[in-house]
Amino acid sequence: MGMIGAVVDILFGRRGNIIRETAEVFRENSEAAAIRDTDVQQAAIDAFRAEFIASQGGWFNRFMDGVNRVPRPALALSTIALFAAAMINPDWFATRMQGVAVVPEPLWWLMGVVVSFYFGARYQVKGQEFQRAIAASLMRDLETTRVRSDRSGLPSVFGAKREATHVPERTPNTYGTVDATDNAALADWQEVTRGQ
């Protein structure tokens, strides 16, 4: 019984599970892989959270971003509300539309310019912020790649001079095809076709 216990202890015992360790050479441990995947996802979420908080700025910037988000939904919802008002109380709606009809045309132009510049400027600012963030991210990635290549002792691909490589000229032979001296399969094929 002592010998069987020793064999069972070796295979499944306290010093390590030989069968499990051998199987993990050929197949990944699913539980350990799930833990690693969860750690990677959590690290990515933490990085996104830190990046988002850093890009927000102070309380005033957050407040102004909230205020700047109000006009577009307000315009869309108020337009839908006009349709609802026309159906609910047509007399009230007709009175308001008569008031809108007497607004002079230059005032409409001025309002169109103000609204266009407001939304256009906001679109441009957000687009530039996005491009700036992408450029900063790319620069960080390039710097990380440089540091890794310097640490590994491999030549860096950034800033390295490309050496000119000599490409041998291919001269047509009597058949009007490429010279096959450097290609054994092509040379064999040409030998066969010459014999026919």
Side-chain angles (χ1 to χ4, degrees), residues 65 68 118-132:
D65 277 344
N68 283 330
Y118 171 77
F119 289 121
R122 178 132 177 92
Y123 177 78
Q124 183 177 5
V125 165
K126 289 298 181 182
Q128 288 173 345
E129 285 178 2
F130 179 71
Q131 289 174 354
R132 195 176 305 119

Side-chain angles (χ1 to χ4, degrees), residues 7 13 53 57 66 70 72-73 85-86 96 111 115 119 121 124 126-128 132 134 146 153 158 163 165 173 182 193:
V7 170
I53 290 171
V70 170
R72 279 176 279 195
R96 299 308 176 270
M111 190 178 89
V115 169
F119 289 121
Q124 183 177 5
K126 289 298 181 182
Q128 288 173 345
R132 195 176 305 119
I134 293 293
R146 281 189 189 137
F158 304 106
E163 296 179 8
T165 56
N173 61 13
D182 60 340
T193 56

Side-chain angles (χ1 to χ4, degrees), residues 170 177-180 183-191:
R170 297 183 176 266
T177 60
V178 176
D179 186 15
N183 188 335
L186 189 56
D188 290 344
W189 177 77
Q190 285 181 347
E191 291 283 328

Side-chain angles (χ1 to χ4, degrees), residues 61-95:
N61 286 342
R62 290 194 299 270
F63 173 75
M64 288 310 294
D65 277 344
V67 169
N68 283 330
R69 288 187 177 103
V70 170
R72 279 176 279 195
L75 285 170
L77 293 174
S78 61
T79 303
I80 294 170
L82 284 174
F83 284 98
M87 289 183 278
I88 293 170
N89 192 349
D91 294 332
W92 180 88
F93 182 75
T95 306

Side-chain angles (χ1 to χ4, degrees), residues 42-57 62 129-138 140-141:
Q42 188 60 46
I45 290 170
D46 291 341
F48 285 141
R49 181 183 300 123
E51 202 171 318
F52 179 75
I53 290 171
S55 69
Q56 288 297 305
R62 290 194 299 270
E129 285 178 2
F130 179 71
Q131 289 174 354
R132 195 176 305 119
I134 293 293
S137 176
L138 287 174
R140 280 194 307 268
D141 290 346

Side-chain angles (χ1 to χ4, degrees), residues 145-146 149-150 153-161:
T145 306
R146 281 189 189 137
S149 66
D150 291 344
L154 297 174
S156 175
V157 295
F158 304 106
K161 294 181 180 177

